[in-house]
Amino acid sequence: MKAYLTMLLRTALAIFLLHLPASVLAEVEGNCTMCHKYPGFGRMEQLPGEGKGKIERIFYINNELFEASYHGKIHCGSCHTGVDRLPHPTLEKVDCASDCHILDPSSNKPFSHKKIVEDFNQSAHGKDGSRTKDKSDLPVCKDCHSNKPYHTSVAERLGAKEFMNVCLECHQSENFVARFYEHMIYRTSKRRPSKDVIKLCSTCHADQELMAKHELDVVIGFSATFHAKAISYGNEEVANCLSCHAPYQLGFSPHRIISHRNGTSPVSAENKITTCRQSGCHTEAGEEFAAGGRVHPSPGMVRIMAGISSAEIDADELDNVSAFQAKVTGWIQLFYKVLIVVVIGGLALHRILDMYASRRERRTRGH
């Protein structure tokens, strides 16, 4: 029923547009929300691959949310090419490296994410930097970036009214000042909570099948670390995935993550201690602090902690230090488990014997 109504709407719209003068039609083509403002506006598309079926694609745009988002002041045609005709032909995917019609105030040239895209392509996640032969399932921009709205009530929360009044002494447009301030606050503050960072990275790095395909370790031991425990209690000062793999303090970013096998990586054996010592972390740590094992255990290390014999693990899966650390951790965990059982069991037994003795004493007095 929904597909039928959608097709009927598109047909009626096409008939309506065909009877419009060329001048009016040109204006309509620039007003994307004329069609995309209707919830449920979309179509059924065939999924790639034989026998995959169809999927419903919705093209509805909430204009109020879009205008409040990062890209809210950019015209649709700046990213979506081929939308200058109605109905739209088959559209190409958005190229984030294309030039935008907005001018970069630092250079007075069209703004572009081209440099970021080039950096990303050379990173461990990019098509040029990845070691895998199959590039089809590598992450792309929209896997991490969703063009969400700016933080709401920024001015009220940060007491920005006085700051923006100073800006308005020179910049006469209040809308420009408010948006510029929102942009600056967004870019200079933590934009994604640590829990969301871990969840995002785990989408791929905790997938055993995907990691096996790319010949990478499955990250399944991070939840047992001190960092993860502190983050689970809401501590945002503790390091998350990006704090170590893409520290801005050391000249890295999420777009320039490289393999730990690369000598310039912040998590390589040579640079690990420098990463741990970055401001806000373990600034006084000695050389031994970062030596040996990993921050998040590998699958083999986790299996040893679970009680599986090291003989069942490939020799090249763990180095001796990691294996020894894992065994010690396993012994400590076993000790505390036994201690807890003995203490709780002893208390329960003591209580039962006490109740038995009291009952027996009452019976003796009764006789």
Side-chain angles (χ1 to χ4, degrees):
M1 184 64 180
K2 185 184 291 185
Y4 174 75
L5 291 176
T6 301
M7 183 176 66
L8 183 63
L9 175 63
R10 295 182 64 190
T11 304
L13 178 64
I15 294 174
F16 169 72
L17 293 175
L18 288 174
H19 289 81
L20 288 177
S23 59
V24 177
L25 186 59
E27 294 180 7
V28 171
E29 290 175 344
N31 185 9
C32 300
T33 55
M34 177 180 177
C35 301
H36 292 276
K37 67 182 179 181
Y38 295 105
F41 180 59
R43 69 185 181 196
M44 301 297 294
E45 288 190 356
Q46 181 70 43
L47 290 172
E50 188 175 348
K52 292 289 186 179
K54 295 184 177 182
I55 186 174
E56 183 180 23
R57 291 194 62 190
I58 300 298
F59 302 129
Y60 163 65
I61 300 296
N62 185 317
N63 199 51
E64 184 177 349
L65 287 178
F66 176 73
E67 288 185 350
S69 70
Y70 315 148
H71 296 151
K73 300 303 179 184
I74 301 175
H75 191 273
C76 307
S78 297
C79 300
H80 298 279
T81 58
V83 295
D84 54 340
R85 288 176 290 167
L86 290 174
H88 302 323
T90 302
L91 302 179
E92 297 182 2
K93 290 184 178 181
V94 171
D95 181 7
C96 295
S98 59
D99 290 340
C100 176
H101 74 274
I102 291 179
L103 294 180
D104 180 351
S106 67
S107 63
N108 205 33
K109 296 179 180 179
F111 182 82
S112 175
H113 291 296
K114 185 176 181 179
K115 181 181 182 303
I116 292 178
V117 172
E118 290 175 350
D119 287 346
F120 181 78
N121 286 337
Q122 297 297 326
S123 74
H125 294 133
K127 59 182 181 181
D128 296 327
S130 172
R131 297 184 301 113
T132 184
K133 294 180 180 179
D134 185 358
K135 313 287 185 177
S136 61
D137 56 0
L138 291 176
V140 294
C141 303
K142 66 179 183 179
D143 289 329
C144 300
H145 299 283
S146 57
N147 190 37
K148 62 183 180 180
Y150 279 113
H151 304 296
T152 57
S153 303
V154 173
E156 290 79 4
R157 288 193 293 106
L158 300 178
K161 187 174 182 180
E162 180 180 353
F163 176 85
M164 289 197 291
N165 284 339
V166 174
C167 298
L168 285 169
E169 289 294 317
C170 297
H171 301 284
Q172 300 301 310
S173 172
E174 188 172 348
N175 288 336
F176 169 82
V177 170
R179 189 167 184 86
F180 177 78
Y181 182 77
E182 285 180 334
H183 181 77
M184 291 297 296
I185 290 299
Y186 168 76
R187 294 304 307 175
T188 57
S189 63
K190 197 169 187 177
R191 299 179 293 281
R192 197 188 293 267
S194 292
K195 287 184 179 180
D196 290 354
V197 171
I198 296 171
K199 182 178 180 180
L200 177 63
C201 297
S202 298
T203 302
C204 295
H205 289 279
D207 187 327
Q208 297 188 20
E209 183 177 347
L210 181 63
M211 292 298 98
K213 174 183 176 181
H214 291 278
E215 299 180 357
L216 296 171
D217 282 345
V218 183
V219 180
I220 58 176
F222 181 76
S223 59
T225 65
F226 170 80
H227 289 158
K229 297 296 183 184
I231 290 172
S232 68
Y233 286 107
N235 190 332
E236 288 295 322
E237 301 300 321
V238 179
N240 57 42
C241 311
L242 298 179
S243 303
C244 299
H245 291 271
Y248 274 106
Q249 290 187 34
L250 304 181
F252 291 87
S253 84
H255 305 113
R256 293 192 292 274
I257 294 177
I258 54 179
S259 170
H260 70 91
R261 298 179 181 87
N262 189 318
T264 62
S265 169
V267 292
S268 66
E270 298 81 5
N271 299 327
K272 195 183 298 182
I273 185 59
T274 303
T275 301
C276 293
R277 287 173 177 169
Q278 63 181 301
S279 177
C281 293
H282 310 282
T283 54
E284 303 297 327
E287 293 291 339
E288 297 79 8
F289 182 84
R294 304 180 182 180
V295 174
H296 42 77
S298 66
M301 189 171 175
V302 172
R303 291 205 294 274
I304 287 184
M305 292 169 65
I308 301 177
S309 171
S310 59
E312 300 177 37
I313 302 175
D314 295 336
D316 58 350
E317 191 169 353
L318 292 171
D319 56 36
N320 293 331
V321 176
S322 295
F324 177 73
Q325 290 176 339
K327 287 181 179 180
V328 171
T329 303
W331 292 335
I332 293 174
Q333 289 179 344
L334 178 62
F335 170 76
Y336 277 105
K337 288 178 181 179
V338 173
L339 182 62
I340 291 171
V341 172
V342 170
V343 171
I344 295 178
L347 289 173
L349 180 61
H350 178 271
R351 182 58 180 162
I352 292 172
L353 293 176
D354 184 61
M355 291 173 62
Y356 175 76
S358 299
R359 187 173 183 181
R360 183 177 180 182
E361 184 177 354
R362 285 197 300 271
R363 286 180 179 179
T364 303
R365 289 178 180 178
H367 288 303

